[in-house]
Amino acid sequence: MTAPGPGLTVTGLHVHYGGVHAVRDMNLTVPPGAAIGVIGANGAGKTSTLKAVMGLIPRRATALRLGDVDLLRVPARDMVRHGVGYVPEGRHVFPGLPVERNLLLGAYLRPWKSDTLASLDQVYTLFPVLREMRHRLAGALSGGQQQMLAIGRALMSRPRLLLLDEPSMGLSPKLVDDILTVLQRLRAEGLALLLVEQNAKLTFEATSHCIVVENGAPAMTGPSATLRHDPRVRQIYLGL
Ligand code: ATP
């Protein structure tokens, strides 16, 4: 168990794509070591929220802070240096490189060999299948294995906060369960998580609190255990 890192504060976040106001006055906090979920329908603004936090798209916010660090002044390429890891939607592993090379690319800011080897060992302990396949090309892995690789690569930089965009996308129920187990282990180790998902069941089980997003704005927030039984969430937002 590592000491929890600094918390994330997002206040008054807006994203525009030309005339599309995709994120409207989003507010959320991820306290140190907490796991927070963002759920909502297709196109609700979940991915845009994560990309905006990472500085990958133009955004405006009243506050965007990681502890004392003003993330509005941190370029996307330096987020990792501040302890923020990001697992993008669609995995984006390098298919023509071996699994281990993909993982090592995640440690490019940590060139000390013993340190890197310790991180590799931790990732392989979390995902034994990646150890078995470490010499295979990433493109030869199944969708679930590529998702594990994408998460493993983000962990190589030893983040204190991990942003995950739809890790369950396209995976079978069994593999979604495997992802849940991994997220629960990471959480138990003190890593803070911000999980964006369409899979409400996974999100409610992996997080303590959730934000339901509708048309780019937070429509409901509360403890995951409460929201999962809320008839409004189930009927209106999730179609359950
Ligand atoms: P999904 O689950 O499909 O990823 P989402 O909740 O993550 O959906 P976003 O991808 O953030 O939603 O999209 C929010 C809104 O912004 C949508 O109306 C979408 O069409 C629009 N949008 C997203 N990316 C762009 C872009 N590059 N250019 C223009 N509009 C965009």
Side-chain angles (χ1 to χ4, degrees):
M1 165 104 189
T2 49
L8 175 72
T9 307
V10 178
T11 314
L13 177 69
H14 292 265
V15 174
H16 292 263
Y17 300 104
V20 179
H21 196 173
V23 178
R24 305 160 183 250
D25 200 18
M26 178 67 73
N27 298 296
L28 64 90
T29 55
V30 183
I36 304 299
V38 178
I39 56 171
N42 215 340
K46 306 180 300 296
T47 294
S48 300
T49 299
L50 280 199
K51 285 184 175 170
V53 170
M54 286 301 288
L56 292 167
I57 51 175
R59 78 288 210 223
R60 186 161 56 78
T62 313
L64 187 53
R65 280 199 318 275
L66 187 68
D68 292 338
V69 178
D70 179 2
L71 293 183
L72 290 171
R73 294 170 175 275
V74 176
R77 64 175 180 278
D78 289 340
M79 287 289 176
V80 139
R81 225 182 278 280
H82 288 283
V84 185
Y86 176 52
V87 184
E89 186 175 12
R91 297 148 205 163
H92 298 290
V93 298
F94 297 99
L97 294 179
V99 166
E100 191 155 288
R101 194 81 209 124
N102 269 270
L103 290 174
L104 290 171
L105 284 171
Y108 69 99
L109 283 178
R110 308 174 66 88
W112 311 281
K113 200 158 186 236
S114 61
D115 210 20
T116 304
L117 292 180
S119 295
L120 252 189
D121 201 54
Q122 280 177 357
V123 169
Y124 285 149
T125 303
L126 196 59
F127 303 112
V129 68
L130 295 184
R131 190 193 299 271
E132 281 165 36
M133 303 210 155
R134 63 187 183 276
H135 301 305
R136 296 260 191 100
L137 295 184
L141 267 52
S142 70
Q145 290 162 348
Q146 288 190 15
Q147 186 62 65
M148 311 266 173
L149 179 55
I151 296 174
R153 185 179 56 190
L155 294 174
M156 288 294 291
S157 67
R158 301 210 180 163
R160 318 284 291 281
L161 167 69
L162 188 61
L163 312 183
L164 297 123
D165 195 351
E166 300 225 20
S168 79
M169 194 177 16
L171 301 188
S172 68
K174 157 80 178 76
L175 288 171
V176 173
D177 278 350
D178 290 349
I179 296 283
L180 174 62
T181 305
V182 165
L183 297 181
Q184 286 169 333
R185 273 183 70 182
L186 294 176
R187 195 177 158 191
E189 286 173 15
L191 181 62
L193 303 175
L194 181 59
L195 172 64
V196 155
E197 264 293 346
Q198 285 200 43
N199 184 325
K201 182 170 174 288
L202 166 70
T203 311
F204 288 141
E205 287 179 20
T207 62
S208 66
H209 289 75
C210 277
I211 299 151
V212 184
V213 184
E214 194 185 29
N215 294 327
M220 298 173 74
T221 60
S224 307
T226 309
L227 284 178
R228 75 183 300 166
H229 298 298
D230 188 305
R232 273 205 303 153
V233 175
R234 296 171 68 82
Q235 288 164 20
I236 301 173
Y237 302 117
L238 309 173
L240 294 177

PDB file of all heavy atoms in Angstrom, residues 150-187:
ATOM      1  N   ALA A 150      -2.801  -1.874 -21.834  1.00  0.00           N
ATOM      2  CA  ALA A 150      -2.951  -0.411 -21.768  1.00  0.00           C
ATOM      3  C   ALA A 150      -2.939   0.067 -20.310  1.00  0.00           C
ATOM      4  O   ALA A 150      -2.321   1.089 -19.985  1.00  0.00           O
ATOM      5  CB  ALA A 150      -4.247   0.007 -22.460  1.00  0.00           C
ATOM      6  N   ILE A 151      -3.602  -0.689 -19.436  1.00  0.00           N
ATOM      7  CA  ILE A 151      -3.602  -0.312 -18.016  1.00  0.00           C
ATOM      8  C   ILE A 151      -2.195  -0.500 -17.439  1.00  0.00           C
ATOM      9  O   ILE A 151      -1.666   0.362 -16.735  1.00  0.00           O
ATOM     10  CB  ILE A 151      -4.638  -1.142 -17.215  1.00  0.00           C
ATOM     11  CG1 ILE A 151      -6.058  -0.833 -17.722  1.00  0.00           C
ATOM     12  CG2 ILE A 151      -4.528  -0.847 -15.728  1.00  0.00           C
ATOM     13  CD1 ILE A 151      -7.150  -1.698 -17.110  1.00  0.00           C
ATOM     14  N   GLY A 152      -1.578  -1.635 -17.786  1.00  0.00           N
ATOM     15  CA  GLY A 152      -0.223  -1.917 -17.296  1.00  0.00           C
ATOM     16  C   GLY A 152       0.763  -0.842 -17.728  1.00  0.00           C
ATOM     17  O   GLY A 152       1.606  -0.399 -16.946  1.00  0.00           O
ATOM     18  N   ARG A 153       0.640  -0.404 -18.973  1.00  0.00           N
ATOM     19  CA  ARG A 153       1.557   0.631 -19.478  1.00  0.00           C
ATOM     20  C   ARG A 153       1.400   1.929 -18.681  1.00  0.00           C
ATOM     21  O   ARG A 153       2.375   2.577 -18.318  1.00  0.00           O
ATOM     22  CB  ARG A 153       1.291   0.878 -20.963  1.00  0.00           C
ATOM     23  CG  ARG A 153       2.271   1.841 -21.598  1.00  0.00           C
ATOM     24  CD  ARG A 153       1.982   2.031 -23.059  1.00  0.00           C
ATOM     25  NE  ARG A 153       0.616   2.479 -23.270  1.00  0.00           N
ATOM     26  CZ  ARG A 153       0.025   2.540 -24.452  1.00  0.00           C
ATOM     27  NH1 ARG A 153       0.661   2.180 -25.542  1.00  0.00           N
ATOM     28  NH2 ARG A 153      -1.213   2.972 -24.556  1.00  0.00           N
ATOM     29  N   ALA A 154       0.133   2.270 -18.374  1.00  0.00           N
ATOM     30  CA  ALA A 154      -0.093   3.495 -17.581  1.00  0.00           C
ATOM     31  C   ALA A 154       0.487   3.342 -16.172  1.00  0.00           C
ATOM     32  O   ALA A 154       0.973   4.306 -15.582  1.00  0.00           O
ATOM     33  CB  ALA A 154      -1.580   3.804 -17.521  1.00  0.00           C
ATOM     34  N   LEU A 155       0.450   2.119 -15.642  1.00  0.00           N
ATOM     35  CA  LEU A 155       0.962   1.906 -14.281  1.00  0.00           C
ATOM     36  C   LEU A 155       2.488   1.975 -14.206  1.00  0.00           C
ATOM     37  O   LEU A 155       3.056   2.181 -13.131  1.00  0.00           O
ATOM     38  CB  LEU A 155       0.491   0.547 -13.740  1.00  0.00           C
ATOM     39  CG  LEU A 155      -1.015   0.419 -13.520  1.00  0.00           C
ATOM     40  CD1 LEU A 155      -1.365  -1.016 -13.119  1.00  0.00           C
ATOM     41  CD2 LEU A 155      -1.482   1.400 -12.447  1.00  0.00           C
ATOM     42  N   MET A 156       3.151   1.791 -15.357  1.00  0.00           N
ATOM     43  CA  MET A 156       4.623   1.789 -15.369  1.00  0.00           C
ATOM     44  C   MET A 156       5.206   3.128 -14.906  1.00  0.00           C
ATOM     45  O   MET A 156       6.338   3.182 -14.445  1.00  0.00           O
ATOM     46  CB  MET A 156       5.150   1.453 -16.767  1.00  0.00           C
ATOM     47  CG  MET A 156       4.976   0.017 -17.181  1.00  0.00           C
ATOM     48  SD  MET A 156       5.946  -1.140 -16.212  1.00  0.00           S
ATOM     49  CE  MET A 156       7.612  -0.740 -16.745  1.00  0.00           C
ATOM     50  N   SER A 157       4.421   4.204 -15.032  1.00  0.00           N
ATOM     51  CA  SER A 157       4.934   5.507 -14.586  1.00  0.00           C
ATOM     52  C   SER A 157       4.636   5.731 -13.099  1.00  0.00           C
ATOM     53  O   SER A 157       4.904   6.809 -12.574  1.00  0.00           O
ATOM     54  CB  SER A 157       4.336   6.633 -15.421  1.00  0.00           C
ATOM     55  OG  SER A 157       2.940   6.724 -15.171  1.00  0.00           O
ATOM     56  N   ARG A 158       4.077   4.724 -12.443  1.00  0.00           N
ATOM     57  CA  ARG A 158       3.719   4.785 -11.020  1.00  0.00           C
ATOM     58  C   ARG A 158       2.862   6.006 -10.691  1.00  0.00           C
ATOM     59  O   ARG A 158       3.242   6.870  -9.881  1.00  0.00           O
ATOM     60  CB  ARG A 158       4.963   4.777 -10.152  1.00  0.00           C
ATOM     61  CG  ARG A 158       5.775   3.541 -10.396  1.00  0.00           C
ATOM     62  CD  ARG A 158       6.521   3.144  -9.178  1.00  0.00           C
ATOM     63  NE  ARG A 158       7.299   1.954  -9.416  1.00  0.00           N
ATOM     64  CZ  ARG A 158       8.286   1.555  -8.651  1.00  0.00           C
ATOM     65  NH1 ARG A 158       8.628   2.260  -7.606  1.00  0.00           N
ATOM     66  NH2 ARG A 158       8.927   0.445  -8.919  1.00  0.00           N
ATOM     67  N   PRO A 159       1.697   6.100 -11.348  1.00  0.00           N
ATOM     68  CA  PRO A 159       0.836   7.259 -11.101  1.00  0.00           C
ATOM     69  C   PRO A 159       0.247   7.231  -9.696  1.00  0.00           C
ATOM     70  O   PRO A 159       0.186   6.174  -9.051  1.00  0.00           O
ATOM     71  CB  PRO A 159      -0.270   7.089 -12.155  1.00  0.00           C
ATOM     72  CG  PRO A 159      -0.324   5.617 -12.399  1.00  0.00           C
ATOM     73  CD  PRO A 159       1.086   5.128 -12.257  1.00  0.00           C
ATOM     74  N   ARG A 160      -0.217   8.404  -9.233  1.00  0.00           N
ATOM     75  CA  ARG A 160      -0.947   8.487  -7.968  1.00  0.00           C
ATOM     76  C   ARG A 160      -2.434   8.611  -8.248  1.00  0.00           C
ATOM     77  O   ARG A 160      -3.256   8.413  -7.366  1.00  0.00           O
ATOM     78  CB  ARG A 160      -0.492   9.722  -7.170  1.00  0.00           C
ATOM     79  CG  ARG A 160       1.014   9.950  -7.190  1.00  0.00           C
ATOM     80  CD  ARG A 160       1.759   8.999  -6.286  1.00  0.00           C
ATOM     81  NE  ARG A 160       1.517   9.244  -4.880  1.00  0.00           N
ATOM     82  CZ  ARG A 160       2.098  10.217  -4.181  1.00  0.00           C
ATOM     83  NH1 ARG A 160       2.936  11.041  -4.758  1.00  0.00           N
ATOM     84  NH2 ARG A 160       1.854  10.346  -2.896  1.00  0.00           N
ATOM     85  N   LEU A 161      -2.740   8.994  -9.496  1.00  0.00           N
ATOM     86  CA  LEU A 161      -4.135   9.106  -9.954  1.00  0.00           C
ATOM     87  C   LEU A 161      -4.202   8.509 -11.346  1.00  0.00           C
ATOM     88  O   LEU A 161      -3.385   8.855 -12.210  1.00  0.00           O
ATOM     89  CB  LEU A 161      -4.548  10.584 -10.007  1.00  0.00           C
ATOM     90  CG  LEU A 161      -5.852  10.912 -10.749  1.00  0.00           C
ATOM     91  CD1 LEU A 161      -7.063  10.376  -9.987  1.00  0.00           C
ATOM     92  CD2 LEU A 161      -6.001  12.426 -10.942  1.00  0.00           C
ATOM     93  N   LEU A 162      -5.155   7.597 -11.559  1.00  0.00           N
ATOM     94  CA  LEU A 162      -5.281   6.957 -12.870  1.00  0.00           C
ATOM     95  C   LEU A 162      -6.648   7.301 -13.466  1.00  0.00           C
ATOM     96  O   LEU A 162      -7.682   7.081 -12.832  1.00  0.00           O
ATOM     97  CB  LEU A 162      -5.141   5.436 -12.711  1.00  0.00           C
ATOM     98  CG  LEU A 162      -5.057   4.621 -13.997  1.00  0.00           C
ATOM     99  CD1 LEU A 162      -3.844   5.014 -14.828  1.00  0.00           C
ATOM    100  CD2 LEU A 162      -4.998   3.121 -13.679  1.00  0.00           C
ATOM    101  N   LEU A 163      -6.626   7.858 -14.685  1.00  0.00           N
ATOM    102  CA  LEU A 163      -7.857   8.162 -15.410  1.00  0.00           C
ATOM    103  C   LEU A 163      -8.091   7.039 -16.410  1.00  0.00           C
ATOM    104  O   LEU A 163      -7.195   6.732 -17.207  1.00  0.00           O
ATOM    105  CB  LEU A 163      -7.740   9.483 -16.175  1.00  0.00           C
ATOM    106  CG  LEU A 163      -7.183  10.700 -15.436  1.00  0.00           C
ATOM    107  CD1 LEU A 163      -7.207  11.928 -16.345  1.00  0.00           C
ATOM    108  CD2 LEU A 163      -7.975  10.990 -14.182  1.00  0.00           C
ATOM    109  N   LEU A 164      -9.261   6.426 -16.364  1.00  0.00           N
ATOM    110  CA  LEU A 164      -9.552   5.295 -17.267  1.00  0.00           C
ATOM    111  C   LEU A 164     -10.782   5.604 -18.091  1.00  0.00           C
ATOM    112  O   LEU A 164     -11.840   5.914 -17.540  1.00  0.00           O
ATOM    113  CB  LEU A 164      -9.823   4.028 -16.469  1.00  0.00           C
ATOM    114  CG  LEU A 164      -8.680   3.503 -15.618  1.00  0.00           C
ATOM    115  CD1 LEU A 164      -9.118   3.394 -14.162  1.00  0.00           C
ATOM    116  CD2 LEU A 164      -8.214   2.150 -16.108  1.00  0.00           C
ATOM    117  N   ASP A 165     -10.645   5.500 -19.420  1.00  0.00           N
ATOM    118  CA  ASP A 165     -11.763   5.788 -20.319  1.00  0.00           C
ATOM    119  C   ASP A 165     -12.305   4.482 -20.890  1.00  0.00           C
ATOM    120  O   ASP A 165     -11.673   3.850 -21.743  1.00  0.00           O
ATOM    121  CB  ASP A 165     -11.303   6.723 -21.448  1.00  0.00           C
ATOM    122  CG  ASP A 165     -12.486   7.355 -22.185  1.00  0.00           C
ATOM    123  OD1 ASP A 165     -13.629   6.930 -21.936  1.00  0.00           O
ATOM    124  OD2 ASP A 165     -12.255   8.267 -22.988  1.00  0.00           O
ATOM    125  N   GLU A 166     -13.473   4.076 -20.405  1.00  0.00           N
ATOM    126  CA  GLU A 166     -14.184   2.884 -20.890  1.00  0.00           C
ATOM    127  C   GLU A 166     -13.308   1.640 -21.000  1.00  0.00           C
ATOM    128  O   GLU A 166     -13.207   1.048 -22.085  1.00  0.00           O
ATOM    129  CB  GLU A 166     -14.822   3.166 -22.250  1.00  0.00           C
ATOM    130  CG  GLU A 166     -15.806   4.314 -22.159  1.00  0.00           C
ATOM    131  CD  GLU A 166     -17.116   4.045 -22.868  1.00  0.00           C
ATOM    132  OE1 GLU A 166     -17.439   2.875 -23.117  1.00  0.00           O
ATOM    133  OE2 GLU A 166     -17.814   5.029 -23.133  1.00  0.00           O
ATOM    134  N   PRO A 167     -12.688   1.215 -19.898  1.00  0.00           N
ATOM    135  CA  PRO A 167     -11.850   0.015 -19.987  1.00  0.00           C
ATOM    136  C   PRO A 167     -12.635  -1.243 -20.337  1.00  0.00           C
ATOM    137  O   PRO A 167     -12.044  -2.222 -20.791  1.00  0.00           O
ATOM    138  CB  PRO A 167     -11.217  -0.092 -18.593  1.00  0.00           C
ATOM    139  CG  PRO A 167     -12.104   0.686 -17.700  1.00  0.00           C
ATOM    140  CD  PRO A 167     -12.679   1.794 -18.550  1.00  0.00           C
ATOM    141  N   SER A 168     -13.965  -1.207 -20.159  1.00  0.00           N
ATOM    142  CA  SER A 168     -14.748  -2.428 -20.427  1.00  0.00           C
ATOM    143  C   SER A 168     -15.194  -2.518 -21.879  1.00  0.00           C
ATOM    144  O   SER A 168     -15.802  -3.510 -22.275  1.00  0.00           O
ATOM    145  CB  SER A 168     -15.988  -2.462 -19.529  1.00  0.00           C
ATOM    146  OG  SER A 168     -16.999  -1.624 -20.056  1.00  0.00           O
ATOM    147  N   MET A 169     -14.904  -1.491 -22.679  1.00  0.00           N
ATOM    148  CA  MET A 169     -15.480  -1.441 -24.025  1.00  0.00           C
ATOM    149  C   MET A 169     -15.101  -2.664 -24.859  1.00  0.00           C
ATOM    150  O   MET A 169     -13.919  -2.997 -24.997  1.00  0.00           O
ATOM    151  CB  MET A 169     -15.030  -0.190 -24.762  1.00  0.00           C
ATOM    152  CG  MET A 169     -15.898   0.002 -25.976  1.00  0.00           C
ATOM    153  SD  MET A 169     -15.630   1.442 -26.973  1.00  0.00           S
ATOM    154  CE  MET A 169     -14.138   2.109 -26.597  1.00  0.00           C
ATOM    155  N   GLY A 170     -16.108  -3.335 -25.387  1.00  0.00           N
ATOM    156  CA  GLY A 170     -15.887  -4.456 -26.290  1.00  0.00           C
ATOM    157  C   GLY A 170     -15.450  -5.741 -25.606  1.00  0.00           C
ATOM    158  O   GLY A 170     -15.085  -6.698 -26.289  1.00  0.00           O
ATOM    159  N   LEU A 171     -15.467  -5.778 -24.279  1.00  0.00           N
ATOM    160  CA  LEU A 171     -14.999  -6.985 -23.584  1.00  0.00           C
ATOM    161  C   LEU A 171     -16.166  -7.873 -23.164  1.00  0.00           C
ATOM    162  O   LEU A 171     -17.268  -7.383 -22.886  1.00  0.00           O
ATOM    163  CB  LEU A 171     -14.184  -6.597 -22.343  1.00  0.00           C
ATOM    164  CG  LEU A 171     -12.946  -5.735 -22.580  1.00  0.00           C
ATOM    165  CD1 LEU A 171     -12.155  -5.596 -21.287  1.00  0.00           C
ATOM    166  CD2 LEU A 171     -12.068  -6.327 -23.674  1.00  0.00           C
ATOM    167  N   SER A 172     -15.899  -9.178 -23.080  1.00  0.00           N
ATOM    168  CA  SER A 172     -16.912 -10.129 -22.632  1.00  0.00           C
ATOM    169  C   SER A 172     -17.165  -9.913 -21.132  1.00  0.00           C
ATOM    170  O   SER A 172     -16.323  -9.351 -20.432  1.00  0.00           O
ATOM    171  CB  SER A 172     -16.411 -11.552 -22.852  1.00  0.00           C
ATOM    172  OG  SER A 172     -15.325 -11.786 -21.971  1.00  0.00           O
ATOM    173  N   PRO A 173     -18.348 -10.379 -20.636  1.00  0.00           N
ATOM    174  CA  PRO A 173     -18.646 -10.207 -19.201  1.00  0.00           C
ATOM    175  C   PRO A 173     -17.545 -10.770 -18.303  1.00  0.00           C
ATOM    176  O   PRO A 173     -17.216 -10.177 -17.272  1.00  0.00           O
ATOM    177  CB  PRO A 173     -19.962 -10.977 -19.027  1.00  0.00           C
ATOM    178  CG  PRO A 173     -20.608 -10.914 -20.379  1.00  0.00           C
ATOM    179  CD  PRO A 173     -19.482 -10.944 -21.379  1.00  0.00           C
ATOM    180  N   LYS A 174     -16.952 -11.893 -18.704  1.00  0.00           N
ATOM    181  CA  LYS A 174     -15.886 -12.482 -17.871  1.00  0.00           C
ATOM    182  C   LYS A 174     -14.688 -11.520 -17.781  1.00  0.00           C
ATOM    183  O   LYS A 174     -14.114 -11.306 -16.709  1.00  0.00           O
ATOM    184  CB  LYS A 174     -15.481 -13.829 -18.497  1.00  0.00           C
ATOM    185  CG  LYS A 174     -14.100 -14.330 -18.148  1.00  0.00           C
ATOM    186  CD  LYS A 174     -14.060 -15.002 -16.773  1.00  0.00           C
ATOM    187  CE  LYS A 174     -12.690 -15.549 -16.415  1.00  0.00           C
ATOM    188  NZ  LYS A 174     -11.711 -14.567 -16.005  1.00  0.00           N
ATOM    189  N   LEU A 175     -14.329 -10.919 -18.928  1.00  0.00           N
ATOM    190  CA  LEU A 175     -13.188 -10.006 -18.931  1.00  0.00           C
ATOM    191  C   LEU A 175     -13.519  -8.710 -18.202  1.00  0.00           C
ATOM    192  O   LEU A 175     -12.639  -8.110 -17.576  1.00  0.00           O
ATOM    193  CB  LEU A 175     -12.737  -9.719 -20.367  1.00  0.00           C
ATOM    194  CG  LEU A 175     -12.037 -10.913 -21.035  1.00  0.00           C
ATOM    195  CD1 LEU A 175     -11.810 -10.645 -22.511  1.00  0.00           C
ATOM    196  CD2 LEU A 175     -10.715 -11.215 -20.353  1.00  0.00           C
ATOM    197  N   VAL A 176     -14.792  -8.292 -18.265  1.00  0.00           N
ATOM    198  CA  VAL A 176     -15.188  -7.106 -17.501  1.00  0.00           C
ATOM    199  C   VAL A 176     -15.009  -7.398 -16.005  1.00  0.00           C
ATOM    200  O   VAL A 176     -14.530  -6.545 -15.241  1.00  0.00           O
ATOM    201  CB  VAL A 176     -16.646  -6.694 -17.825  1.00  0.00           C
ATOM    202  CG1 VAL A 176     -17.113  -5.573 -16.903  1.00  0.00           C
ATOM    203  CG2 VAL A 176     -16.748  -6.250 -19.281  1.00  0.00           C
ATOM    204  N   ASP A 177     -15.333  -8.617 -15.590  1.00  0.00           N
ATOM    205  CA  ASP A 177     -15.120  -9.004 -14.190  1.00  0.00           C
ATOM    206  C   ASP A 177     -13.636  -8.951 -13.843  1.00  0.00           C
ATOM    207  O   ASP A 177     -13.253  -8.542 -12.740  1.00  0.00           O
ATOM    208  CB  ASP A 177     -15.640 -10.435 -13.945  1.00  0.00           C
ATOM    209  CG  ASP A 177     -17.137 -10.433 -13.704  1.00  0.00           C
ATOM    210  OD1 ASP A 177     -17.704  -9.333 -13.546  1.00  0.00           O
ATOM    211  OD2 ASP A 177     -17.728 -11.529 -13.694  1.00  0.00           O
ATOM    212  N   ASP A 178     -12.791  -9.385 -14.783  1.00  0.00           N
ATOM    213  CA  ASP A 178     -11.339  -9.335 -14.535  1.00  0.00           C
ATOM    214  C   ASP A 178     -10.878  -7.890 -14.360  1.00  0.00           C
ATOM    215  O   ASP A 178     -10.032  -7.592 -13.501  1.00  0.00           O
ATOM    216  CB  ASP A 178     -10.564  -9.977 -15.700  1.00  0.00           C
ATOM    217  CG  ASP A 178     -10.765 -11.488 -15.758  1.00  0.00           C
ATOM    218  OD1 ASP A 178     -11.324 -12.047 -14.790  1.00  0.00           O
ATOM    219  OD2 ASP A 178     -10.366 -12.092 -16.774  1.00  0.00           O
ATOM    220  N   ILE A 179     -11.421  -6.992 -15.187  1.00  0.00           N
ATOM    221  CA  ILE A 179     -11.057  -5.572 -15.071  1.00  0.00           C
ATOM    222  C   ILE A 179     -11.490  -5.036 -13.701  1.00  0.00           C
ATOM    223  O   ILE A 179     -10.741  -4.317 -13.029  1.00  0.00           O
ATOM    224  CB  ILE A 179     -11.724  -4.735 -16.200  1.00  0.00           C
ATOM    225  CG1 ILE A 179     -11.202  -5.155 -17.575  1.00  0.00           C
ATOM    226  CG2 ILE A 179     -11.549  -3.239 -15.964  1.00  0.00           C
ATOM    227  CD1 ILE A 179      -9.836  -4.642 -17.937  1.00  0.00           C
ATOM    228  N   LEU A 180     -12.702  -5.449 -13.278  1.00  0.00           N
ATOM    229  CA  LEU A 180     -13.191  -5.002 -11.968  1.00  0.00           C
ATOM    230  C   LEU A 180     -12.228  -5.452 -10.868  1.00  0.00           C
ATOM    231  O   LEU A 180     -11.878  -4.675  -9.976  1.00  0.00           O
ATOM    232  CB  LEU A 180     -14.598  -5.562 -11.721  1.00  0.00           C
ATOM    233  CG  LEU A 180     -15.172  -5.298 -10.334  1.00  0.00           C
ATOM    234  CD1 LEU A 180     -15.329  -3.802 -10.086  1.00  0.00           C
ATOM    235  CD2 LEU A 180     -16.517  -5.994 -10.144  1.00  0.00           C
ATOM    236  N   THR A 181     -11.789  -6.703 -10.938  1.00  0.00           N
ATOM    237  CA  THR A 181     -10.862  -7.217  -9.923  1.00  0.00           C
ATOM    238  C   THR A 181      -9.581  -6.384  -9.899  1.00  0.00           C
ATOM    239  O   THR A 181      -9.074  -6.028  -8.831  1.00  0.00           O
ATOM    240  CB  THR A 181     -10.520  -8.705 -10.228  1.00  0.00           C
ATOM    241  OG1 THR A 181     -11.745  -9.410 -10.312  1.00  0.00           O
ATOM    242  CG2 THR A 181      -9.630  -9.305  -9.177  1.00  0.00           C
ATOM    243  N   VAL A 182      -9.089  -6.044 -11.083  1.00  0.00           N
ATOM    244  CA  VAL A 182      -7.862  -5.241 -11.165  1.00  0.00           C
ATOM    245  C   VAL A 182      -8.089  -3.864 -10.546  1.00  0.00           C
ATOM    246  O   VAL A 182      -7.270  -3.378  -9.745  1.00  0.00           O
ATOM    247  CB  VAL A 182      -7.418  -5.110 -12.640  1.00  0.00           C
ATOM    248  CG1 VAL A 182      -6.385  -4.007 -12.808  1.00  0.00           C
ATOM    249  CG2 VAL A 182      -6.869  -6.437 -13.145  1.00  0.00           C
ATOM    250  N   LEU A 183      -9.214  -3.239 -10.881  1.00  0.00           N
ATOM    251  CA  LEU A 183      -9.481  -1.895 -10.352  1.00  0.00           C
ATOM    252  C   LEU A 183      -9.608  -1.944  -8.828  1.00  0.00           C
ATOM    253  O   LEU A 183      -9.124  -1.046  -8.127  1.00  0.00           O
ATOM    254  CB  LEU A 183     -10.762  -1.310 -10.972  1.00  0.00           C
ATOM    255  CG  LEU A 183     -10.712  -1.083 -12.494  1.00  0.00           C
ATOM    256  CD1 LEU A 183     -12.020  -0.473 -12.994  1.00  0.00           C
ATOM    257  CD2 LEU A 183      -9.533  -0.204 -12.883  1.00  0.00           C
ATOM    258  N   GLN A 184     -10.240  -3.004  -8.315  1.00  0.00           N
ATOM    259  CA  GLN A 184     -10.375  -3.116  -6.864  1.00  0.00           C
ATOM    260  C   GLN A 184      -9.013  -3.301  -6.191  1.00  0.00           C
ATOM    261  O   GLN A 184      -8.752  -2.758  -5.123  1.00  0.00           O
ATOM    262  CB  GLN A 184     -11.328  -4.270  -6.520  1.00  0.00           C
ATOM    263  CG  GLN A 184     -12.782  -3.888  -6.818  1.00  0.00           C
ATOM    264  CD  GLN A 184     -13.747  -5.042  -6.749  1.00  0.00           C
ATOM    265  OE1 GLN A 184     -13.363  -6.196  -6.975  1.00  0.00           O
ATOM    266  NE2 GLN A 184     -15.010  -4.755  -6.476  1.00  0.00           N
ATOM    267  N   ARG A 185      -8.132  -4.027  -6.873  1.00  0.00           N
ATOM    268  CA  ARG A 185      -6.787  -4.205  -6.295  1.00  0.00           C
ATOM    269  C   ARG A 185      -6.013  -2.894  -6.295  1.00  0.00           C
ATOM    270  O   ARG A 185      -5.334  -2.544  -5.337  1.00  0.00           O
ATOM    271  CB  ARG A 185      -6.002  -5.255  -7.091  1.00  0.00           C
ATOM    272  CG  ARG A 185      -6.274  -6.654  -6.587  1.00  0.00           C
ATOM    273  CD  ARG A 185      -5.469  -7.685  -7.314  1.00  0.00           C
ATOM    274  NE  ARG A 185      -4.046  -7.648  -7.022  1.00  0.00           N
ATOM    275  CZ  ARG A 185      -3.164  -8.462  -7.592  1.00  0.00           C
ATOM    276  NH1 ARG A 185      -3.575  -9.355  -8.471  1.00  0.00           N
ATOM    277  NH2 ARG A 185      -1.898  -8.395  -7.293  1.00  0.00           N
ATOM    278  N   LEU A 186      -6.121  -2.152  -7.399  1.00  0.00           N
ATOM    279  CA  LEU A 186      -5.405  -0.868  -7.490  1.00  0.00           C
ATOM    280  C   LEU A 186      -5.908   0.085  -6.417  1.00  0.00           C
ATOM    281  O   LEU A 186      -5.127   0.796  -5.770  1.00  0.00           O
ATOM    282  CB  LEU A 186      -5.594  -0.248  -8.878  1.00  0.00           C
ATOM    283  CG  LEU A 186      -4.956  -1.022 -10.035  1.00  0.00           C
ATOM    284  CD1 LEU A 186      -5.304  -0.366 -11.368  1.00  0.00           C
ATOM    285  CD2 LEU A 186      -3.439  -1.096  -9.867  1.00  0.00           C
ATOM    286  N   ARG A 187      -7.226   0.061  -6.230  1.00  0.00           N
ATOM    287  CA  ARG A 187      -7.827   0.932  -5.222  1.00  0.00           C
ATOM    288  C   ARG A 187      -7.338   0.553  -3.823  1.00  0.00           C
ATOM    289  O   ARG A 187      -7.001   1.411  -3.005  1.00  0.00           O
ATOM    290  CB  ARG A 187      -9.336   0.768  -5.334  1.00  0.00           C
ATOM    291  CG  ARG A 187     -10.114   1.810  -4.633  1.00  0.00           C
ATOM    292  CD  ARG A 187     -11.575   1.551  -4.909  1.00  0.00           C
ATOM    293  NE  ARG A 187     -12.370   2.172  -3.884  1.00  0.00           N
ATOM    294  CZ  ARG A 187     -13.661   1.956  -3.726  1.00  0.00           C
ATOM    295  NH1 ARG A 187     -14.296   1.134  -4.528  1.00  0.00           N
ATOM    296  NH2 ARG A 187     -14.318   2.552  -2.770  1.00  0.00           N
TER     297      ARG A 187
END
